[in-house]
Amino acid sequence: QAQLVESGGGFVQPGGSLRLSCAASGTIFNIYDMGWYRQTPGKQRELVASITRGGSTNYADSMKGRFTISRDNAKNTVYLQMNSLEPEDTAVYYCNVDLSGINGYGRYWGQGTQVTVSS
C-alpha cells in the first residue's frame, strides 16, 4: 500500500518562505496528478496547486506568483515552495497524489503539516 509522508511545515514570519515536501512510498506503479491542499478550522479543504505528470501546473488565484509547485518523478516527490507568506496562509497543508499501486488506482492524502505565519 502506498503512503505519503510530508515535511517542511513550521512557523514563519510574514514575508518569509517555506518549502513543503511530500514523498510517496510503497509499491507504486505510476503516479499521475499531484497536488497540495490546505484547510483551516471551520472551512473546507481548498486546492492550493496541482501538477500533472508532464509538469503542467494549476494554482489557486491567491497563490499565483507566490507559490510554486514542482515534482521529481524519479523520487515520487512533490514540492511546494511558498514565498511572501501572509498570515492568511496559516493552515494545515495536505499533499494529494493520484497513483496506481498494488491495490489498484487510488487517491492518497498525506498526514498534513501545519504552517503558521505570524509576527
Side-chain angles (χ1 to χ4, degrees), residues 43-89:
K43 292 189 176 181
Q44 287 190 330
R45 195 171 294 187
E46 63 174 350
L47 174 70
V48 173
S50 63
I51 184 168
T52 68
R53 183 172 179 82
S56 296
T57 59
N58 178 51
Y59 294 92
D61 287 343
S62 62
M63 288 68 159
K64 288 180 180 178
R66 300 190 299 124
F67 292 6
T68 302
I69 189 170
S70 61
R71 63 190 284 170
D72 185 333
N73 290 332
K75 295 182 179 180
N76 291 342
T77 300
V78 61
Y79 306 96
L80 184 68
Q81 177 66 44
M82 304 185 292
N83 298 329
S84 301
L85 283 161
E86 304 166 351
E88 293 73 24
D89 296 315

Side-chain angles (χ1 to χ4, degrees), residues 27-55:
T27 305
I28 298 170
F29 302 143
N30 279 301
I31 294 180
Y32 306 102
D33 290 353
M34 307 179 86
W36 291 93
Y37 288 71
R38 69 185 187 185
Q39 189 169 25
T40 55
K43 292 189 176 181
Q44 287 190 330
R45 195 171 294 187
E46 63 174 350
L47 174 70
V48 173
S50 63
I51 184 168
T52 68
R53 183 172 179 82

